[in-house]
Amino acid sequence: MPKGTESEEEELAMEKLLSLLVYEWQLSRTSPMGKPIGGVETRGNERSIALTPLTMYEKGCPPNFGVFYDTAKSLDGMENKRDAFRWYARSRLYYSCSTLCVAFVEFVVPELKRRGVDEVTVSSVLPSGTKTKKVGLDKIRVKSVFYTPKNVHVIRFHYFFGEKRDLIEVGGSHNNLECSDTGLIFDPTLGQLTGSMKPATFLSQDLFEKGFCGEVMQYMDSPGKDIQEQKQRDVDMAAMNKKPASHPKRIAQRVVDLFLSGESDAVTRYCASCLGIAADGRKLLRCTRCNRVCYCSKYCQILDWKSHKTMCFGN
């Protein structure tokens, strides 16, 4: 039995697995995320902010929302923590849906199976109580969502040669994951559209579409050709940037290492709200009531309380 699989069911939970994937991916992402330098601008139905184009490999890139907000809160439209957090999530997750969904199916699942893990659990909080389901890893597929956006958000990266604009709702398309047996939908990057860093789970396609931030026109299996092309692009990107740690296979190995290592090893690595890491010279702050999650700052602890309090009081 692989290390970790003898733990309680929640130790092998899908929610935790996807959070670890987002955490590891943003640490090694070679596309810029950046530091806020300009407040919110509104033009018609378009809203945007300006960032310096920095990656986590470069000094000055905010490692978490706490550092991001300390810089942003004096800028127009960024005073409110929750509004600023939405922009933080957009700047971290833009253009990530296909990369992370393909990485999960093509790299994380094979790595888990290689270590003897064939299924994970999903916990759903319902009026009748919390219910847990088993999800077979072989049954998870990449899906494509085509939609009409309700809003338009833009990240304006300021380079020495000028401004580059990245549209968040690019092309009206999005990717997520679906279990063909249970109908459960897992969306690791929905937050780029809704302003959250946490992966989302939906009990059905109907519930997903009701909670989506646009009118869904079509929901379909992603073609195998598209999946393989995305896989190759991400492998080539890691090689081109000479960042071996950003290779999807390396990311998957680190994700599975943490996933099977036990909760105490994983939760001390990243903030439970923004999935960021501790700033240089600082430590993450552990929740003193339950001792099960950590935060980068009081900002994230406050923003996450509504979500965390059920687990916190339950413990």
Side-chain angles (χ1 to χ4, degrees):
M1 180 178 291
K3 182 182 177 183
T5 55
E6 70 274 9
S7 303
E8 295 178 359
E9 281 191 338
E10 59 264 32
E11 295 300 300
L12 292 179
M14 185 67 164
E15 294 89 342
K16 174 184 171 184
L17 181 58
L18 292 176
S19 292
L20 287 170
L21 177 58
V22 175
Y23 155 72
E24 282 289 349
W25 171 78
Q26 67 170 333
L27 283 183
S28 55
R29 184 175 187 178
T30 54
S31 299
M33 293 179 284
K35 178 180 178 180
I37 56 173
V40 179
E41 291 187 5
T42 302
R43 295 179 182 177
N45 69 334
E46 175 189 295
R47 302 179 75 226
S48 67
I49 62 166
L51 301 177
T52 53
L54 298 170
T55 71
M56 291 291 276
Y57 293 104
E58 297 174 292
K59 186 176 181 180
C61 184
N64 55 53
F65 174 67
V67 176
F68 181 94
Y69 184 61
D70 279 337
T71 304
K73 61 187 178 183
S74 62
L75 302 174
D76 290 343
M78 301 285 272
E79 304 88 351
N80 181 275
K81 288 188 287 293
R82 195 164 297 282
D83 289 340
F85 192 94
R86 293 187 180 102
W87 282 110
Y88 175 85
R90 292 173 188 130
S91 71
R92 287 301 195 268
L93 296 175
Y94 75 101
Y95 297 176
S96 63
C97 58
S98 57
T99 290
L100 288 183
C101 288
V102 170
F104 184 87
V105 169
E106 294 291 321
F107 293 98
V108 174
V109 168
E111 183 65 21
L112 283 167
K113 291 175 70 63
R114 187 179 71 82
R115 303 198 201 185
V117 179
D118 295 311
E119 58 184 19
V120 292
T121 61
V122 179
S123 297
S124 304
V125 180
L126 304 171
S128 56
T130 301
K131 293 187 177 181
T132 301
K133 292 183 178 180
K134 295 281 189 178
V135 173
L137 294 174
D138 282 339
K139 302 298 182 181
I140 297 176
R141 304 285 184 265
V142 180
K143 305 290 287 191
S144 294
V145 186
F146 298 96
Y147 69 99
T148 302
K150 291 180 180 178
N151 301 293
V152 177
H153 299 92
V154 175
I155 305 292
R156 295 179 284 112
F157 287 110
H158 283 215
Y159 292 86
F160 69 91
F161 55 78
E163 182 180 276
K164 179 177 180 291
R165 295 163 58 85
D166 283 311
L167 178 65
I168 304 301
E169 296 85 359
V170 61
S173 64
H174 182 67
N175 294 102
N176 59 24
L177 302 165
E178 183 184 71
C179 175
S180 58
D181 270 1
T182 64
L184 290 167
I185 292 175
F186 310 103
D187 202 319
T189 66
L190 184 62
Q192 67 181 310
L193 305 176
T194 62
S196 171
M197 288 298 296
K198 292 184 178 182
T201 301
F202 299 88
L203 297 178
S204 67
Q205 181 183 336
D206 285 344
L207 291 174
F208 167 75
E209 293 188 10
K210 287 178 181 177
F212 195 66
C213 50
E215 183 183 356
V216 176
M217 310 300 291
Q218 187 176 16
Y219 188 70
M220 57 178 280
D221 288 339
S222 295
K225 178 175 177 289
D226 292 353
I227 292 172
Q228 293 307 311
E229 287 178 352
Q230 182 64 56
K231 177 181 178 180
Q232 192 60 51
R233 279 196 297 271
D234 293 330
V235 169
D236 292 344
M237 183 65 72
M240 183 180 71
N241 288 297
K242 298 181 180 180
K243 300 290 185 184
S246 67
H247 192 291
K249 186 174 182 178
R250 296 281 187 90
I251 293 173
Q253 289 169 343
R254 297 196 301 272
V255 167
V256 176
D257 283 344
L258 280 173
F259 186 60
L260 299 180
S261 67
E263 182 179 353
S264 59
D265 289 338
V267 300
T268 57
R269 302 290 187 98
Y270 61 88
C271 172
S273 178
C274 71
L275 306 185
I277 59 174
D280 289 343
R282 299 184 185 181
K283 293 183 179 180
L284 295 178
L285 309 172
R286 190 181 285 266
C287 175
T288 55
R289 174 182 282 275
C290 70
N291 209 37
R292 293 188 66 181
V293 298
C294 292
Y295 295 102
C296 67
S297 61
K298 286 288 185 182
Y299 306 139
C300 270
Q301 186 176 27
I302 291 169
L303 290 173
D304 194 50
W305 177 241
K306 183 177 179 180
S307 170
H308 174 60
K309 65 181 178 181
T310 301
M311 184 187 84
C312 191
F313 282 115
N315 285 278

